[in-house]
Amino acid sequence: MLVLQIILLNLLLAFAGSGKKETKITITPDQGRLITNQIQQAIDSCAAAGGGTVYFPKGKFLTGGLKLTSNLTMLLAEGTLIQGSDNYKDYGDGKRPEALFSGDNLTNVTFEGKGTIDGVDCTSPTGEEGFRGPHCIRIFNGKNLVFKDITIVRSANYAIFCNYSDGVRLKDVKIRGGHDGFHIRFGRNVLAEDCDFRTGDDAFAGNDNVNYVVKRCSVNTSCHGFRLGGQNVLIEDCRIWGPGEYKHIKQNRNNTLSAFVYFSPQDANPKLQSGDWLVKNVTVEGVDNVYIYDFAGGLWQTGQLMQGIRFEGLKVRNVKKGFTVIGDENRHFQLAIANSTFINDEYNNPAPFKMERTLIDTKHFFDLTNFDKLTLKNVEFKQFPARPLLDIANGNIVQISKVKAPAQTSESLFEFQNVATVKK
């Protein structure tokens, strides 16, 4: 895995030294009316002083859209509630609303404290899908962005949205409801630790990211746990489970579509082929699919190739489908699974279903076609019905070592078609 050993060190260095902030302005709570102008004046005063802290003591603060500045800390005391307006016109000029907090080309911005930001599920007829309102926090072209301890609820669109940003750290962030939890495209040096996301849409999403680390996070969603593309990705010691506690608002459902699905949308003009992924010590339970990569025709998956991903210590229980992979015809994709367990004590030959544009054929638990190399080492399948579990087609190399399955399936565990080399 390319430079994964030093990613965390590089990230910590990137997040260090956010500048000295001495100015502190305290906002008075519980005024029972929108105080957008008062909060904005406090932010602007910090900017005029070269940076500072806007402090929100315990209480309720009602506001419309706010513009952030560099060298700024938004400090929310425990018991603080910053509640957005339920009128989308309070977030801009009445056109497509932007965000409760927004800014571009910013450096050293921090949201911290044990307070809550509430997007109130504000709707807008001019928003995405004809109803979505403003994001809670939207920062583009940012550097050294920190989100620590805060809770975000009912975000009217994405909770945290940070395209083209370098050095983004999330620590102990909680997200409840809304749409996407954390969305970043074309980012660098991203670290999320000890977060708890329970979202209506994708929990983690984005493409063309480099050095992207998620550790010790809890993920519950009514869409995808990770809809992601990028280079040097580490996802470690996380739990992903379904069904979602908060429904997908547009589709009015709670099932979790997948733990992982590839993301490289053509309309975003992606530049980066994805690869060097390690998913380590992750548990997955109660979702529809573990992993989906459909370069042939998957929704938002066809922009650039996914070159390879490695799973170690994966623990999967009660999912309809394990892996569906349809790689490119030139066979670039590599998949390795080691020291992993798949347990099925709920689904017995589930019916085929469609996930966005990809047909999920449940005849096999595992489908892989158009690939360079598949490696399975110390992998166990428990409590599966009598059927071949793995359908492997159109590949160059398969290496199998210590793969176990129930007795009734062990003799016909694999079906191979057009695979050049199989090593057992």
Side-chain angles (χ1 to χ4, degrees):
M1 301 294 287
L2 182 63
V3 306
L4 271 176
Q5 295 86 349
I6 61 172
I7 287 178
L8 286 175
L9 176 60
N10 289 341
L11 290 173
L12 291 173
L13 290 174
F15 299 139
S18 59
K20 189 176 181 181
K21 306 181 183 72
E22 295 182 351
T23 302
K24 182 178 179 180
I25 300 174
T26 300
I27 306 295
T28 303
D30 298 324
Q31 298 183 37
R33 56 184 173 83
L34 288 178
I35 56 170
T36 310
N37 290 338
Q38 181 180 338
I39 299 173
Q40 189 64 60
Q41 287 172 5
I43 293 172
D44 294 342
S45 295
C46 288
T53 296
V54 178
Y55 176 64
F56 297 84
K58 181 179 179 180
K60 184 177 180 180
F61 304 81
L62 298 177
T63 181
L66 298 162
K67 294 294 183 180
L68 300 169
T69 58
S70 292
N71 303 314
L72 176 70
T73 294
M74 305 293 280
L75 181 58
L76 285 63
E78 186 171 6
T80 294
L81 174 63
I82 299 178
Q83 183 170 301
S85 169
D86 60 2
N87 185 346
Y88 72 95
K89 294 182 180 180
D90 289 325
Y91 296 87
D93 57 6
K95 297 180 181 178
R96 186 166 181 166
E98 189 172 46
L100 179 54
F101 298 95
S102 65
D104 296 317
N105 307 309
L106 303 181
T107 302
N108 302 329
V109 177
T110 297
F111 282 77
E112 65 178 332
K114 296 185 179 299
T116 298
I117 299 171
D118 184 358
V120 301
D121 288 329
C122 176
T123 60
S124 168
T126 62
E128 185 178 347
E129 297 182 305
F131 79 96
R132 293 199 199 190
H135 308 290
C136 269
I137 303 172
R138 188 206 69 86
I139 302 174
F140 283 6
N141 294 300
K143 186 173 183 180
N144 294 340
L145 309 178
V146 177
F147 307 93
K148 183 178 180 182
D149 294 323
I150 62 171
T151 297
I152 299 176
V153 301
R154 299 193 297 176
S155 182
N157 206 337
Y158 303 166
I160 302 175
F161 192 18
C162 295
N163 284 359
Y164 307 100
S165 295
D166 186 351
V168 183
R169 185 182 183 190
L170 289 76
K171 173 70 173 175
D172 291 303
V173 173
K174 296 180 176 62
I175 298 176
R176 298 290 186 267
H179 300 271
D180 285 13
F182 173 57
H183 195 122
I184 179 169
R185 304 190 189 191
F186 305 95
R188 299 182 66 88
N189 301 316
V190 176
L191 176 61
E193 299 179 290
D194 305 299
C195 296
D196 187 334
F197 290 3
R198 307 184 190 191
T199 61
D201 213 316
D202 305 323
F204 290 87
N207 63 280
D208 284 59
N209 296 301
V210 178
N211 298 343
Y212 189 109
V213 175
V214 179
K215 297 173 69 72
R216 301 181 304 278
C217 289
S218 299
V219 176
N220 174 264
T221 171
S222 294
C223 205
H224 302 279
F226 292 84
R227 191 197 289 267
L228 202 61
Q231 279 278 355
N232 295 340
V233 175
L234 172 64
I235 301 169
E236 185 175 18
D237 297 326
C238 294
R239 179 190 176 213
I240 306 167
W241 79 98
E245 295 180 10
Y246 297 88
K247 72 177 181 179
H248 191 286
I249 295 174
K250 176 70 173 180
Q251 300 173 7
N252 193 32
R253 57 168 183 75
N254 291 79
N255 59 303
T256 302
L257 299 181
S258 76
F260 305 94
V261 65
Y262 184 54
F263 189 56
S264 183
Q266 285 186 337
D267 60 0
N269 194 23
K271 308 295 185 183
L272 184 67
Q273 292 187 4
S274 295
D276 294 316
W277 281 48
L278 174 60
V279 178
K280 185 176 182 180
N281 299 334
V282 170
T283 63
V284 177
E285 184 172 2
V287 309
D288 291 350
N289 304 272
V290 176
Y291 179 80
I292 299 172
Y293 169 45
D294 181 3
F295 187 72
L299 181 65
W300 301 322
Q301 299 182 57
T302 60
Q304 293 285 349
L305 298 175
M306 175 58 167
Q307 296 174 323
I309 184 169
R310 181 158 54 104
F311 293 86
E312 292 185 2
L314 182 65
K315 296 180 180 179
V316 176
R317 192 179 195 110
N318 292 335
V319 302
K320 292 181 180 179
K321 179 77 173 189
F323 288 71
T324 297
V325 173
I326 305 171
D328 66 291
E329 293 183 355
N330 292 322
R331 301 181 180 181
H332 289 89
F333 182 76
Q334 295 189 356
L335 172 64
I337 306 174
N339 306 318
S340 298
T341 303
F342 300 87
I343 302 174
N344 171 49
D345 50 24
E346 181 172 323
Y347 294 110
N348 196 346
N349 296 321
F353 58 98
K354 199 163 187 177
M355 199 292 297
E356 295 170 346
R357 293 180 183 170
T358 301
L359 177 64
I360 306 299
D361 185 356
T362 52
K363 178 180 178 182
H364 303 92
F365 182 71
F366 186 120
D367 282 282
L368 174 61
T369 187
N370 296 343
F371 67 97
D372 177 37
K373 186 176 181 180
L374 168 66
T375 303
L376 300 175
K377 183 177 181 180
N378 193 24
V379 177
E380 186 171 9
F381 298 90
K382 296 181 178 180
Q383 298 176 231
F384 282 83
R387 58 175 170 137
L389 295 182
L390 298 95
D391 187 20
I392 315 299
N394 301 333
N396 296 331
I397 302 173
V398 174
Q399 291 184 328
I400 304 169
S401 176
K402 298 180 181 179
V403 176
K404 300 179 182 179
Q408 69 268 27
T409 63
S410 59
E411 294 301 318
S412 58
L413 183 60
F414 294 90
E415 288 187 354
F416 294 108
Q417 303 172 52
N418 192 28
V419 176
T421 302
V422 178
K423 299 179 181 179
K424 296 184 179 181

